Each structure stands twice: as structure tokens, then as C-alpha cells.
Amino acid sequence: AQKVTQAQTEISVVEKEDVTLDCVYETRDTTYYLFWYKQPPSGELVFLIRRNSFDEQNEISGRYSWNFQKSTSSFNFTITASQVVDSAVYFCALSSQGAQKLVFGQGTRLTINP
Amino acid sequence: EAGVVQSPRYKIIEKKQPVAFWCNPISGHNTLYWYLQNLGQGPELLIRYENEEAVDDSQLPKDRFSAERLKGVDSTLKIQPAELGDSAVYLCASSPGLAGVDTQYFGPGTRLTVL
């Protein structure tokens, strides 16, 4: 069975601080895909990134960066110089062609205070 | 390119009443998903369509929930009769093709409140 764990239920930081959201996953598939989605108060799930299990290269997109480590089954997300607009619930998710299902973690509610 | 469209955005009904949600996926996306999201939880799959065929409805409570995607494009999810525990957000998503491989893109959801 596939499982995603986001141990941090809520995080609150002051604007301009860096913040890391943790994600640990479990799967028996050798080929799988990891995702991060952002859910702002409006409710829509916004796609941020997709990584496949064969690509462990870290990725940076502006203030966002992702650290994928197969050795620890983790796919962590860091926001540098956080801004109030980053406040949202962030979900890590896992899928594979074998399971044909996208499994979500419980989400981390991030609050950036001015 | 237009995203996934859902309506209505909000719905308030009395228990035992029927309710229906509509979804129009991104143009060209063959796979359509309905998810249930309870407060403080991640979304959970209810049903997946590949074109007009429901290929995974194992998590759909079939005694009261039904869904259709007649022409392989837009889809409707229905609850009849609604119960208090059905209060949640119902999300629709679509992807180009392969479930479990392609990225899923989500609509804004329908927030259902059952009184």
C-alpha cells in the first residue's frame, strides 16, 4: 500500500523566514511520482511540482525548492524568504502506474505572519 | 487554456435531499476523477473515469452516490439522499491520460453543507 506522511500539521513563521515542509512516503513500486500541491483559502488545489523516482536532482523554482532523497523516502519542500501570499495548506502526494491512484498526505497548514 | 470547471461552488441542502455536482475537465483530458475532501484531510478518490468508462469506483458509496460521464467529457456526481456526514468539499480533477503517471489538475471544488 502507498502512504504519505506529513508530520507537521501546522507551521507558523514570520514573513521573510525560510520554512521547510516535510514529506515522507512509502511505496513498493520502483517507478513512482511525487507531487506537491498548494491549497489556498479559495480551496483550489494548485499543482506545484512533479518528480519521478528516477530523478533525484533537486529542483529550484524562484523561492521554492524541493529536496528528493530516495534513501530516506523523503520529498521536502522549502520556501525561501516566505511571503504572506504563501499562506495555504500544502499537500504532498504519491502515485504510480501500478497503483493508478494519487495518495495524499494530511497536509501542512502554513501561516506566514507579516 | 481553461482549467477544470466545477459548479456550483457552494451548496447548502437539508438532509435527505438530493444534490448534484457538475465538472468540465481540461480540454483533451481523457481521465477524470472525483475526490472527497473532509475538513483538515487530504483528498480521497471516489471514482476515476477513462473516457466514459468508470474504471475505479471502489471507494464510491454506491447506495447513495452515483456518477456519470456520458460523452467522455463533462461529468456529474450525485448524492441521493444526502446525509449530515456528506458535508465536505467535492473536488474534480483531470489528467491527459495515464492514471498514476500524469499530473492531475484540480478544479475549485464544491463545498457541500448538509443541514
Side-chain angles (χ1 to χ4, degrees):
Chain A
Q2 304 199 96
K3 184 179 180 181
V4 175
T5 302
Q6 294 180 255
Q8 304 150 310
T9 305
E10 294 191 34
I11 300 176
S12 180
V13 301
V14 177
E15 197 172 21
K16 297 184 184 178
E17 287 185 15
D18 299 347
V19 59
T20 296
L21 282 59
D22 298 332
C23 173
V24 174
Y25 63 90
E26 297 175 29
T27 180
R28 294 181 179 177
D29 291 321
T30 55
T31 303
Y32 53 90
Y33 305 86
L34 294 162
F35 302 81
W36 276 95
Y37 286 86
K38 174 182 181 180
Q39 190 171 43
S42 61
E44 183 169 352
L45 274 166
V46 178
F47 165 71
L48 296 178
I49 189 170
R50 170 181 181 268
R51 302 295 283 178
N52 72 59
S53 52
F54 297 109
D55 184 1
E56 286 193 71
Q57 197 168 19
N58 291 333
E59 181 152 340
I60 298 174
S61 176
R63 296 183 297 105
Y64 294 174
S65 63
W66 291 269
N67 181 261
F68 176 26
Q69 291 193 343
K70 289 179 75 171
S71 61
T72 56
S73 297
S74 64
F75 186 44
N76 296 337
F77 173 29
T78 297
I79 301 175
T80 302
S82 61
Q83 299 177 2
V84 173
V85 293
D86 296 327
S87 296
V89 180
Y90 289 86
F91 289 96
C92 181
L94 166 70
S95 72
S96 68
Q97 191 167 1
Q100 295 190 324
K101 184 173 289 189
L102 186 60
V103 175
F104 286 84
Q106 296 287 80
T108 297
R109 179 176 299 278
L110 177 64
T111 302
I112 310 298
N113 299 298
Chain B
E1 179 180 281
V4 176
V5 179
Q6 288 188 249
S7 68
R9 289 297 313 277
Y10 304 91
K11 189 73 177 179
I12 300 174
I13 60 172
E14 300 279 337
K15 64 180 180 182
K16 301 184 181 179
Q17 294 299 306
V19 65
F21 315 125
W22 177 81
C23 172
N24 187 255
I26 293 172
S27 178
H29 281 195
N30 297 324
T31 307
L32 183 146
Y33 313 78
W34 283 102
Y35 286 86
L36 167 69
Q37 186 177 22
N38 287 307
L39 189 64
Q41 306 285 323
E44 297 177 346
L45 181 70
L46 287 172
I47 188 168
R48 170 169 62 94
Y49 282 92
E50 289 180 6
N51 298 304
E52 58 274 358
E53 183 181 359
V55 295
D56 183 358
D57 62 356
S58 57
Q59 301 303 310
L60 189 72
K62 299 181 184 62
D63 56 336
R64 298 184 300 108
F65 286 66
S66 65
E68 60 183 15
R69 193 185 185 199
L70 293 176
K71 296 183 179 179
V73 180
D74 55 350
S75 175
T76 302
L77 177 69
K78 298 178 182 178
I79 308 175
Q80 182 170 10
E83 297 179 352
L84 294 176
D86 296 332
S87 295
V89 175
Y90 292 82
L91 293 163
C92 180
S94 69
S95 66
L98 290 174
V101 176
D102 291 338
T103 297
Q104 294 184 28
Y105 296 91
F106 286 79
T110 297
R111 183 177 297 277
L112 174 67
T113 301
V114 182
L115 303 176

